[in-house]
Amino acid sequence: MIRHALGSLLLCVLLACAGWAATPRFALALGGGAALGYAHLGVLEVLEAEGLRPDLVLGASMGSIVGGLYCAGLSPDAIAAQAEGLDIFKLMDWQLGGMGFFEWNKVRRRLGPLLEGRRVESCVVPLICVATDLRSGERVPLSRGPLLDAMLASATIPGLYEPVPWEGRLLVDGGLVDEVPILSAREAGATIVVAVDVSHPLLDEELRGPFDVMRQAYFIIQMHNVDHRRPLADLLIRPDLDGLDFHRFGEVEAARRVGREAARKALPELRALLKSRGWSRR
């Protein structure tokens, strides 16, 4: 009798797992791009208005900051209100002798009260922040643990900010290995992946000095990273970022507007995609 009961229980578990696997899962992959990442707010705003909330959000770099706040329950409007007019230089903690020029203390004090000690696994919308192991170069998807630490680890520009310690690792910017976390979405079991690419366009004006050369080199790496992953996405949304710059963190509305425009333009294709895969609003 006990054996029969255990057999029935196992069958129920297998059937439940099969049903879960057969259920379409819509993942939204938010890429890095520093201040250009505010375009994600416009995309999220349009999806919310259409009732198309994803089953999973993945973020790399600035995508983890915006995605983390959204998945913690903040609306795009609330996130924009926090960022509007932000002077990023006032949030920089200079340090000497560390592994980066800046620490995260001021950013923690600003974001901490908004997150209220939330953990990644307790987010309103399931979230994965993608980081990079500084020692091994491995891609590290963070789906559990302190939310603020996961967001900052994913956004830590190596050499500029102090790496974030995490279970014996030193973690830095996830954009190094998954600029738009499309691969991480597939590995998490997503059957529908919509990616938002806000990586900086290449500089087409004359390169005037070493800083421009370093910026251009980083933008080229981003471009090839995204191109390599692009075939794994079902839909790629690419806002028109011309005229915007990655370091203007106080100019939220311009980036949000182009994100909104790109999302509205993609809506017919997105609706058709979701319908064809049998996805329905939760």
Side-chain angles (χ1 to χ4, degrees), residues 93-103 157-163:
D93 290 306
W94 285 94
Q95 68 167 5
L96 295 174
M99 297 181 71
F101 292 112
F102 306 106
E103 295 180 301
I157 302 172
L160 192 62
Y161 277 94
E162 185 75 14

Side-chain angles (χ1 to χ4, degrees), residues 20-76:
W20 179 88
T23 302
R25 299 187 73 217
F26 163 29
L28 182 67
L30 304 178
L36 302 180
Y38 290 138
H40 294 317
L41 294 173
V43 174
L44 290 167
E45 177 187 338
V46 170
L47 295 182
E48 283 278 305
E50 294 291 323
L52 302 177
R53 175 174 284 193
D55 302 307
L56 173 66
V57 173
L58 301 97
S61 199
M62 189 61 174
S64 280
I65 301 297
V66 173
L69 292 169
Y70 172 75
C71 291
L74 277 73
S75 69

Side-chain angles (χ1 to χ4, degrees), residues 38-46 77 239 253-267:
Y38 290 138
H40 294 317
L41 294 173
V43 174
L44 290 167
E45 177 187 338
V46 170
D77 282 340
E253 190 49 43
R256 186 181 179 187
R257 183 179 64 254
V258 298
R260 191 184 303 126
E261 291 169 353
R264 286 175 178 159
K265 184 177 180 180
L267 267 179

Side-chain angles (χ1 to χ4, degrees), residues 29-265:
L30 304 178
L36 302 180
Y38 290 138
H40 294 317
L41 294 173
V43 174
L44 290 167
E45 177 187 338
V46 170
L47 295 182
E48 283 278 305
E50 294 291 323
L52 302 177
R53 175 174 284 193
D55 302 307
L56 173 66
V57 173
L58 301 97
S61 199
M62 189 61 174
S64 280
I65 301 297
V66 173
L69 292 169
Y70 172 75
C71 291
L74 277 73
S75 69
D77 282 340
I79 300 170
Q82 287 291 327
E84 192 66 55
L86 179 67
D87 184 349
I88 191 65
F89 294 103
K90 291 183 178 179
L91 294 179
M92 289 182 168
D93 290 306
W94 285 94
Q95 68 167 5
L96 295 174
M99 297 181 71
F101 292 112
F102 306 106
E103 295 180 301
W104 283 115
N105 295 330
K106 291 181 180 179
V107 175
R108 288 181 181 278
R109 286 196 292 271
R110 186 177 181 101
L111 295 182
L114 302 176
L115 301 176
E116 300 178 332
R118 188 181 290 273
R119 294 178 63 83
V120 179
E121 63 268 30
S122 67
C123 281
V124 178
V125 178
L127 171 72
I128 295 176
C129 297
V130 179
T132 303
D133 186 315
L134 183 60
R135 293 192 178 98
S136 69
E138 292 177 280
R139 178 169 46 87
V140 184
L142 304 174
S143 58
R144 301 183 62 83
L147 175 56
L148 182 54
D149 285 352
M151 291 163 57
L152 296 182
S154 180
T156 294
I157 302 172
L160 192 62
Y161 277 94
E162 185 75 14
V164 175
W166 187 286
E167 297 179 358
R169 299 176 184 258
L170 287 177
L171 299 184
V172 294
D173 199 324
L176 294 174
V177 290
D178 213 7
E179 175 66 21
V180 182
I182 300 168
L183 178 60
S184 299
R186 289 298 184 195
E187 290 185 350
T191 55
I192 305 163
V193 178
V194 175
V196 186
D197 174 22
V198 294
S199 53
H200 202 291
L202 296 183
L203 303 174
D204 56 5
E205 71 267 19
E206 182 183 353
L207 301 176
R208 296 182 178 84
F211 181 63
D212 281 350
V213 171
M214 288 187 289
R215 289 172 67 200
Q216 184 80 329
Y218 185 65
F219 299 156
I220 290 171
I221 293 170
Q222 286 183 319
M223 178 183 71
H224 285 284
N225 188 315
V226 175
D227 286 347
H228 182 64
R229 302 280 198 240
R230 186 190 304 264
L232 295 174
D234 294 294
L235 175 62
L236 182 73
I237 297 174
R238 170 69 184 176
D240 181 2
L241 302 169
D242 287 344
L244 302 179
D245 210 316
F246 75 106
H247 68 273
R248 296 174 184 162
F249 281 89
E251 299 177 9
V252 180
E253 190 49 43
R256 186 181 179 187
R257 183 179 64 254
V258 298
R260 191 184 303 126
E261 291 169 353
R264 286 175 178 159
K265 184 177 180 180

